[in-house]
Amino acid sequence: MSGRLISASSHIVVAGAGSVGCFTGGLLAAAGRRVTLLARPRTIAEIAAHDLTLTDFAGLDRTVPAARMTLTEDPACLAGADLTLVTVKTAATAAIAEAIADHAPPAAPVVSLQNGLDGMEILTRRLSGRDLRAGMVPFNVVPMGPGRFHRASSGDILIGSGAQPLAPLLSVPGLPVAETADITAVQWGKLLLNLNNALNALSGLTLHAQLQDREWRRLMADQMSEALTVLRAAGIAVTSTTAAPPGLIPHVLRLPTPLFARIAARMMVIDPSARASMSHDLLAGRATEIDALQGRILRLAEETGTPVPLCRRVAGLIREAETRGAGLPGLSVAQVRAGWSQR
């Protein structure tokens, strides 16, 4: 199916505008793009009352007037989409896929800016025949209060290439976007790093404090090594989303802290106050994306017969924390490791 001709005047609908969706949609609107945020009523009310303020670790401080965007909770807005950006959590993907199928023009491209690979697979099953692109967002975005969102780490968005380029429409000041023909391998590279989301949530620490602790980094490295073994067994190619090759990252994590800090500074910038998205989910009493991250590795491990005791242990601890609903567990490395080698 031939897609719509994409230009700077194309209408972009951000479907499921939470933290990442509001941040990306806000910067697009600030640059003059036609943007609709399809969001929850609370998010719409906050932006309508306070406008949209976007900040980041590098000094960005931009207020986007609510009037510069269309704000709605009605999925019928998808009928006018020239391009849809899907930014919902994995568990909400099936519902947003139904809304796109019901309302969005079949020729309008759909780009998934979601963690993991499950979301894109759900979209593909429901929206076959459309121009579907996977994407990788390397940075995390933290909600800071009504209408305020803070980008707390570095990196540029990558999306899959297709019949026509979408990056020129999506690349605006403060939001570089590039295209790649190997987006699936990039997504796997991001998933490896996102395995730390669960460890960060279990620790209760900021990402900066966690990365300054060699014992937590060793735990991160052991978990990543398990995952890399599974991916090799499954024959899955992985492209790093940092300057270090995937197989080298566990070794970098295990280095003494002063040496690690020098190398890490060249790989990624992280705001001192940043926490992983899974930490914010537990703090808010929301379901996490553990099934799309560690859960994905566990499913591959079953298929390949590869033992992954640490990933299994971490997934179990997050599910226990979700069930308790008491926020961040604040576990030590020893508590996370306890018994994992026997699982």
Side-chain angles (χ1 to χ4, degrees), residues 12 58 66 94 111-112 133 169 171 193 195 202 214 230 243 247 266 277 312 316 318 337:
I12 303 168
V111 178
S112 166
R133 316 276 184 99
L169 173 65
S171 290
L193 295 181
L195 293 177
L202 294 173
R214 193 178 186 188
V230 171
R266 304 189 200 110
S277 59
R312 194 175 304 280
I318 289 292
R337 285 190 182 277

Side-chain angles (χ1 to χ4, degrees), residues 87 95 183 215 276:
T87 59
I183 190 63
E215 290 308 305

Side-chain angles (χ1 to χ4, degrees), residues 91-249:
T93 306
I96 208 69
E98 288 297 327
I100 293 169
D102 289 344
H103 299 288
V110 177
V111 178
S112 166
L113 298 181
Q114 300 172 275
N115 276 337
L117 293 90
D118 290 8
M120 184 61 183
E121 293 174 358
I122 294 167
L123 292 171
T124 299
R125 288 195 294 270
R126 184 61 184 88
L127 302 173
S128 62
R130 298 186 183 230
D131 182 358
L132 291 171
R133 316 276 184 99
M136 186 281 296
V137 180
F139 52 80
N140 72 328
V141 178
V142 180
M144 301 294 287
R148 301 183 65 89
F149 297 92
H150 181 78
R151 178 169 52 190
S153 57
S154 60
D156 298 341
I157 294 174
L158 281 174
I159 64 172
S161 54
Q164 62 176 319
L166 301 179
L169 173 65
L170 298 174
S171 290
V172 295
L175 193 73
V177 177
E179 300 188 15
T180 176
D182 201 16
I183 190 63
T184 301
V186 171
Q187 286 182 289
W188 279 111
K190 175 68 185 309
L191 186 145
L192 285 174
L193 295 181
N194 276 348
L195 293 177
N196 185 53
N197 285 9
L199 296 181
N200 183 247
L202 294 173
S203 76
L205 301 171
T206 65
L207 284 167
H208 185 266
Q210 184 196 7
L211 288 169
Q212 289 298 307
D213 187 316
R214 193 178 186 188
E215 290 308 305
W216 276 108
R217 293 200 312 276
R218 284 172 168 162
L219 188 61
M220 293 166 60
D222 289 346
Q223 184 180 223
M224 188 177 290
S225 293
E226 275 191 359
L228 282 166
T229 299
V230 171
L231 294 177
R232 283 193 292 269
I236 292 174
V238 182
T239 296
S240 179
T241 59
T242 74
L248 185 61
I249 294 176

Side-chain angles (χ1 to χ4, degrees), residues 30-86:
R33 302 294 192 254
R34 293 174 55 212
V35 173
T36 292
L37 300 184
L38 173 58
R40 297 179 184 273
R42 186 183 70 176
T43 301
I44 293 169
E46 289 179 357
I47 296 173
H50 302 280
D51 294 327
L52 187 57
T53 299
L54 310 174
T55 58
D56 77 0
F57 64 92
L60 173 74
D61 191 348
R62 185 71 182 266
T63 297
V64 187
R68 193 169 292 182
M69 301 161 284
T70 300
L71 307 172
T72 183
E73 59 182 290
D74 185 355
C77 70
L78 289 158
D82 296 307
L83 170 65
T84 300
L85 303 181
V86 177

Side-chain angles (χ1 to χ4, degrees), residues 90-91 115-118 191 278 287-299 315-316 318-319 322:
T90 303
N115 276 337
L117 293 90
D118 290 8
L191 186 145
M278 203 171 289
T288 71
E289 292 190 294
I290 193 68
D291 287 339
L293 298 175
Q294 272 79 359
R296 184 68 183 236
I297 297 300
L298 293 177
R299 294 194 294 276
I318 289 292
R319 292 185 181 115
E322 285 182 328

